[in-house]
Amino acid sequence: EVAQIEAREKAVSQAEDELQTCTREAEVLKQNTTRLCNQTRGFSTKDLTTFSRCDSLRSIGRDEISKYLDCVQQEFEEDLEQAKSLYASCNRSTDEYNAKAKHCAGVRTRWEQASCDLQKTSALLCSAYVKCR
C-alpha cells in the first residue's frame, strides 16, 4: 500500500518536472516569436516612399530618370525579399510556439491526472486505515 503511494508520488514529481521544463521552453519560444514578429511589423510599417540608396528625384535630370527608376526597382525588390524572409521567420516561430503550447497542455493534463490519482490513492488507503482502527 505504501508502495502505491510512493509510485503515485514519483509519477506526480516526474510530471511536474516535465511540466516545468515544457513551460520554460514555451516561454523562450514565445519571447523569440514576439521579437521576430515585432521585427516583421516594424518592417511592414517602413516608409516605402523613400529609397535610401537612390539619388533624390529632385536632384537628377530628365536623362537620369531611367537610372533612378532602376535603382528604385532594385531597392524595392531587396525590401520585398527581406519582408518575405521576416514574415516566414515570424510564421515559423509562431507555428513552433503553438506546437509547444499544445504539447505543454498535454503535459499539464498528465500532471493533473497524476496528482488526482495520488489524492485518490491516499484517500482510499487512509480511509481503510481509519476503518481498521
Side-chain angles (χ1 to χ4, degrees):
E1 295 169 355
V2 173
Q4 285 181 322
I5 290 180
E6 288 174 346
R8 300 279 188 211
E9 286 174 338
K10 184 177 179 181
V12 169
S13 178
Q14 289 172 336
E16 187 172 15
D17 290 346
E18 185 181 1
L19 179 60
Q20 288 174 352
T21 299
C22 195
T23 302
R24 281 192 303 273
E25 291 170 354
E27 185 57 34
V28 169
L29 283 172
K30 182 179 180 181
Q31 290 172 0
N32 189 50
T33 298
T34 299
R35 181 184 57 78
L36 288 170
C37 294
N38 283 342
Q39 286 177 345
T40 302
R41 280 188 284 283
F43 187 82
S44 68
T45 59
K46 177 182 170 183
D47 182 6
L48 295 177
T49 61
T50 59
F51 297 94
S52 58
R53 292 191 321 265
C54 305
D55 292 333
S56 170
L57 186 58
R58 292 184 185 123
S59 67
I60 62 174
R62 290 179 189 236
D63 55 338
E64 297 173 317
I65 288 179
S66 178
K67 187 193 301 186
Y68 172 78
L69 292 175
D70 288 343
C71 179
V72 168
Q73 180 177 354
Q74 180 181 355
E75 193 164 334
F76 180 77
E77 287 171 357
E78 290 170 5
D79 284 350
L80 182 59
E81 288 306 310
Q82 185 179 0
K84 286 179 183 178
S85 175
L86 287 170
Y87 276 99
S89 295
C90 175
N91 290 338
R92 187 173 39 259
S93 187
T94 299
D95 291 345
E96 288 175 16
Y97 169 72
N98 288 338
K100 178 57 83 171
K102 185 177 181 178
H103 171 74
C104 290
V107 171
R108 176 173 292 284
T109 299
R110 288 192 298 278
W111 170 75
E112 289 171 350
Q113 187 60 53
S115 296
C116 288
D117 290 347
L118 173 60
Q119 288 176 347
K120 288 176 190 175
T121 301
S122 297
L124 286 172
L125 293 175
C126 288
S127 69
Y129 176 76
V130 169
K131 288 178 186 175
C132 293
R133 291 183 96 205

